[in-house]
Amino acid sequence: MLNSLKNSFIQQTKEKSKDIYNSKVDAFINYLEEECGANSKNYREILNSIGINKILDSVEYYVHNYGINYKSTVDSYITVLKGFFSYLAYNHDINNQTFDSTKEIYSLDEAIKNKIEQLKLNMTQMKDPISDDEFFQLLKECNRIIESYSVDNYDLENSYKTEAGLFISAIMMKLVMLTGIKNAVFLTINKEDYLEDVNKLRINGIWIKLPDNLARDFKKYNSLRDKILKVNEILDDNRKNFFINKVGQQINPRHISPVVYKVMNKVIGTFEGESLCKYVIMNLIQSGMDIMEIKCLSTFSLDTCLHCKELLNISNEKDRDKYFNLKLLNSHIYDML
């Protein structure tokens, strides 16, 4: 029954929040079942009566059983619990005083702060990654813009060069979707770092083989780059930035986000790209790439990479149990025991 309540709660959350909410309510339900003896007969009584001390116990359970190291992850866990209990009160007549009273909520928040200090969690504030749905929306729009753009249009556009700007953004965002690189990395890539004939790009000293579709996209961008420099009468050389703005100038480091994430702002309303980068980093970790290698490629801090690993561990908790049990079952020692 607890899982049924969880599922109905998740259904009414925003699409981009579903995975995060699901993993955190799952952890809370595991705590209720394993530490409080919750079952199909007593779950209402337990949910009605659980107090601040039990919530703090659930935080400690969450931290120790899910390998949590960051305050922001616990903050998110508590936010989800508040939403969950609000939903239970409004839809299922399960009213818990800890979450219904402003005074109790204040006391809970203070107790959580103390618990976080006691657990010595990393206090660095971290953003959550975008959702699968948002990633595929972004990729679809980038591909649409790239495929529909004609390099010849650059001559025909007015001085604002809006379409060229969107095309450049789509190209740069697709590189982020492959590598998870920070904005500043674009400024370090020169013309000599792109080998069009073999579809390779050098990022932070690492030669990356571009996927076939992205390789075609880069050829198109390189043609546009040549056109932009020619039209604006700007000389080119191997030491010149490979990524330039729509009028051929070096991208201003202080204003790079609106250049890179113009398409992202169009689709999901933000120029802030860290959430996209974290989505990519999580997928790189899942593919088996070492965290220090990801740090070297993306230039994100070790803290950020470790937070991505933490989030990935939480979302993969159930699959991890299956993985270990399968490996144990296939061990020759298993039959001997």
Side-chain angles (χ1 to χ4, degrees), residues 112-315:
I112 293 296
K113 287 180 185 177
N114 292 333
K115 176 59 73 172
I116 285 171
E117 289 180 9
Q118 177 191 329
L119 293 169
K120 295 181 170 55
L121 297 178
N122 189 314
M123 305 298 280
T124 306
Q125 291 300 313
M126 295 290 183
K127 294 181 175 66
D128 286 325
I130 63 171
S131 67
D132 290 340
D133 183 61
E134 286 174 320
F135 181 86
F136 290 117
Q137 283 183 50
L138 291 172
L139 180 57
K140 181 179 179 181
E141 182 62 10
C142 285
N143 285 335
R144 186 196 68 76
I145 289 168
I146 291 168
E147 289 167 13
S148 63
Y149 185 75
S150 169
V151 173
D152 293 335
N153 284 354
Y154 187 81
D155 289 326
L156 306 175
E157 270 201 275
N158 59 30
S159 60
Y160 292 106
K161 304 294 182 187
T162 303
E163 297 303 316
L166 282 170
F167 174 81
I168 292 169
S169 169
I171 293 291
M172 297 174 85
M173 277 187 56
K174 284 192 71 174
L175 185 59
V176 173
M177 290 175 170
L178 175 67
T179 62
I181 57 174
K182 290 181 76 170
N183 290 344
V185 176
F186 284 105
L187 306 176
T188 70
I189 301 172
N190 296 327
K191 181 183 178 183
E192 65 184 359
D193 295 316
Y194 174 58
L195 302 180
E196 183 173 8
D197 55 338
V198 291
N199 300 321
K200 285 187 175 182
L201 184 72
R202 183 164 54 190
I203 303 174
N204 294 325
I206 304 166
W207 283 103
I208 303 293
K209 176 73 173 176
L210 298 171
D212 290 345
N213 288 337
L214 190 55
R216 285 194 295 272
D217 297 340
F218 263 62
K219 285 181 170 67
K220 191 170 185 178
Y221 168 73
N222 203 30
S223 296
L224 175 63
R225 182 181 179 278
D226 289 341
K227 167 82 76 172
I228 290 173
L229 294 176
K230 181 179 179 182
V231 168
N232 291 282
E233 299 181 343
I234 299 172
L235 293 176
D236 195 11
D237 63 67
N238 276 341
R239 300 298 298 169
K240 189 172 184 61
N241 291 97
F242 180 62
F243 293 101
I244 55 177
N245 67 18
K246 57 192 178 184
V247 292
Q249 301 298 325
Q250 178 177 334
I251 301 169
N252 188 327
R254 291 178 296 176
H255 305 129
I256 191 169
S257 284
V259 176
V260 179
Y261 292 108
K262 193 181 296 290
V263 176
M264 188 171 187
N265 186 57
K266 180 172 179 280
V267 176
I268 61 177
T270 180
F271 289 111
E272 173 52 62
E274 185 177 337
S275 294
L276 170 60
C277 292
K278 292 183 83 167
Y279 178 94
V280 176
I281 290 171
M282 287 174 67
N283 279 271
L284 293 177
I285 293 170
Q286 199 162 26
S287 73
M289 188 178 290
D290 182 78
I291 281 185
M292 296 308 294
E293 293 172 343
I294 294 171
K295 177 180 178 294
C296 179
L297 176 64
S298 70
T299 73
F300 272 97
S301 69
L302 183 59
D303 257 3
T304 297
C305 295
L306 288 172
H307 186 240
C308 289
K309 188 174 190 302
E310 175 175 292
L311 295 174
L312 186 62
N313 288 344
I314 295 168
S315 65

Side-chain angles (χ1 to χ4, degrees), residues 50-64:
I50 194 167
I52 290 178
N53 287 337
K54 287 294 185 183
I55 297 300
L56 294 178
D57 284 345
S58 82
V59 168
E60 196 156 346
Y61 173 92
Y62 182 52
V63 168
H64 292 320

